[in-house]
Amino acid sequence: MAAALAAYGVNVLSRAEDAAADATVNAGRQVLLKVWNRISPTRRAMLQQAVEDAVTTGPAADDGAAALRMQLRHAMSEDPELFEELRNLLAGAPRTVTASGERSVAVGGDNIGVVSTADGAHITVHGRHTTDPTSS
């Protein structure tokens, strides 16, 4: 949803489908529209305000994102079928993985191994203690 908000701003709920839009943006937009179409007019006003708050910049943006998450939680708790529909919708959505900054790590799926970016990290693998996770 963050990608949809970044791309469309407060117009995310009324923006016409753009064929060239990124799949992640469309997935977030679809979630918001599905929720929008299933909630009461009172909840819609609250969701609209949360979307507007979420697209602000600065420290208030975090509060807006939290308010948006709360509105989505309320909608799903009031409508268990909506929760299942959103779960199915998101199961097919593409994953975007980004690593940014010094020593960043991005895992695009499941990881069953060690991920360490620390100098001199001590890692225990199958009962063996080592400072080199690649040693045998």
Side-chain angles (χ1 to χ4, degrees):
M1 289 180 302
L5 292 173
Y8 297 137
V10 296
N11 296 321
V12 69
L13 293 171
S14 61
R15 172 110 174 145
E17 180 98 10
D18 180 2
D22 178 78
T24 303
V25 171
N26 278 331
R29 185 175 169 277
Q30 287 175 347
V31 166
L32 286 171
L33 287 175
K34 190 169 284 286
V35 171
W36 181 265
N37 290 327
R38 299 281 286 271
I39 58 178
S40 70
T42 302
R43 283 269 184 224
R44 284 182 182 173
M46 295 166 70
L47 180 62
Q48 178 69 35
Q49 184 62 54
V51 167
E52 290 174 11
D53 292 345
V55 298
T56 63
T57 58
D62 290 339
D63 293 340
L68 180 56
R69 285 191 303 272
M70 287 303 299
Q71 289 304 315
L72 295 173
R73 277 193 196 110
H74 284 299
M76 289 185 289
S77 68
E78 292 172 358
D79 186 347
E81 290 178 9
L82 174 62
F83 175 79
E84 287 302 319
E85 289 178 29
L86 294 177
R87 182 195 328 237
N88 292 335
L89 175 71
L90 293 174
R95 288 185 185 179
T96 301
V97 179
T98 304
S100 176
E102 185 179 339
R103 297 182 183 220
S104 295
V105 175
V107 178
D110 296 331
N111 175 49
I112 59 170
V114 174
V115 176
S116 174
T117 62
D119 290 335
H122 297 278
I123 301 166
T124 302
V125 180
H126 301 291
R128 290 180 292 122
H129 183 80
T130 180
T131 56
D132 181 4
T134 62
S135 68
S136 46

